[in-house]
Amino acid sequence: MRSIPATILIALFLSPAHLLADTDPSAQANSAVQWSGFGTAGQTPWTIIVLLTVLTLLPALLLSMTPFVRLLIVFHFLRQALGTQTTPTNQTLIGLSLILTFFLMQPVGVAIQRQAVLPLQQGKIDAFQAVARGSEPVKQFMLHYARQKDLALFLELAHEPRPKRPEQLPMRVVAPSYVLSELKAGFQIGAVLFLPFLVIDMVVASITTSVGMMQLPPVVISTPLKLLLFVMVDGWNLLVGSLMRSFA
């Protein structure tokens, strides 16, 4: 998924070089001043710093506009509910979330490839038009899972008029609304995951207290029982299957 936005960004950065190559020296000087962003060619290093900063933040922005947020939150809640503080490791959970995110976002990536990348490579559109076209499938995906309450909140905060159709909402309203909706969905699923394991903890704690085993922490007994229950019901298959169906 990251190769598609990278292609568009590379085209954005390389397009001025092709334009300058086809013009005379005076036009090249004027273009250099325009692309500096500050009116003088001496400020070009600041432009490079800004572009590098945007590229640094780009992965976080892309992950926030995908199912990665919900998946990672649910997996962390599961680990806390099982009582295993470091198993699976953070790297394992992040890797699993990335793989599932790639699986879910593949249709969106195919749409971006067809609507934006291929016309850009064929020279039918420029880089800016490719970015605009490529953002439409992502916006459609986010609108499908963003709650109307969150959309209304950020539409009010942005002081934007209410559009006739959701597709007319700007990206600066859709993106934070989607992140907020995904956070709520992740916490809801995590709370449901905690319930069966919480029952086991309460039962074990009441039994150990009633028999006078005050020196034995209940977690020593409850953790193997929770792991045994999770393995017996094939918990990973059930959890991942439910999460993937929630994005169907």
Side-chain angles (χ1 to χ4, degrees):
M1 289 301 303
R2 297 175 61 182
S3 60
I4 295 175
T7 305
I8 298 177
L9 286 173
I10 291 173
L12 278 172
F13 300 147
L14 294 183
S15 57
H18 295 297
L19 292 176
L20 293 177
D22 298 333
T23 55
D24 55 6
S26 60
Q28 293 181 8
N30 295 332
S31 300
V33 173
Q34 293 176 359
W35 278 93
S36 65
F38 294 93
T40 59
Q43 299 294 337
T44 303
W46 288 104
T47 306
I48 297 175
I49 292 175
V50 172
L51 292 177
L52 291 177
T53 304
V54 172
L55 288 177
T56 304
L57 298 176
L58 184 62
L61 294 176
L62 292 177
L63 292 178
S64 299
M65 296 186 291
T66 60
F68 180 82
V69 176
R70 183 190 302 189
L71 296 172
L72 189 59
I73 289 176
V74 172
F75 290 149
H76 275 285
F77 269 114
L78 174 64
R79 187 174 64 180
Q80 294 294 327
L82 288 174
T84 56
Q85 300 299 324
T86 58
T87 304
T89 61
N90 291 332
Q91 291 81 359
T92 304
L93 296 181
I94 292 173
L96 179 59
S97 301
L98 285 174
I99 292 174
L100 297 178
T101 300
F102 176 79
F103 181 85
L104 291 170
M105 294 298 292
Q106 188 174 7
V108 180
V110 171
I112 295 175
Q113 178 78 13
R114 183 177 62 255
Q115 298 179 16
V117 178
L118 290 180
L120 177 64
Q121 293 175 348
Q122 296 171 359
K124 297 179 180 180
I125 58 176
D126 56 23
F128 295 99
Q129 292 175 339
V131 173
R133 288 190 179 185
S135 63
E136 289 301 321
V138 181
K139 183 191 293 186
Q140 293 294 331
F141 176 83
M142 291 190 294
L143 283 173
H144 186 70
Y145 299 103
R147 300 187 307 165
Q148 294 184 358
K149 182 178 180 180
D150 297 327
L151 290 172
L153 171 63
F154 285 99
L155 189 65
E156 179 184 357
L157 294 176
H159 301 287
E160 294 281 348
R162 187 179 182 89
K164 297 181 179 179
R165 297 181 302 169
E167 292 77 10
Q168 298 175 348
L169 288 170
M171 184 66 77
R172 72 187 189 107
V173 172
V174 177
S177 303
Y178 172 78
V179 175
L180 199 62
S181 301
E182 288 296 286
L183 289 174
K184 178 179 175 57
F187 274 79
Q188 285 179 335
I189 299 174
V192 174
L193 278 176
F194 256 101
L195 293 179
F197 302 110
L198 180 61
V199 172
I200 296 177
D201 288 331
M202 294 176 62
V203 171
V204 172
S206 62
I207 292 176
T208 54
T209 303
S210 62
V211 299
M213 302 173 61
M214 306 299 296
Q215 301 299 326
L216 181 64
V219 68
V220 176
I221 302 176
S222 63
T223 299
L225 293 177
K226 290 187 291 185
L227 291 175
L228 181 61
L229 174 64
F230 189 73
V231 172
M232 288 180 60
V233 300
D234 198 4
W236 285 111
N237 183 276
L238 291 176
L239 178 61
V240 173
S242 301
L243 286 173
M244 301 299 279
R245 293 186 185 94
S246 66
F247 288 99

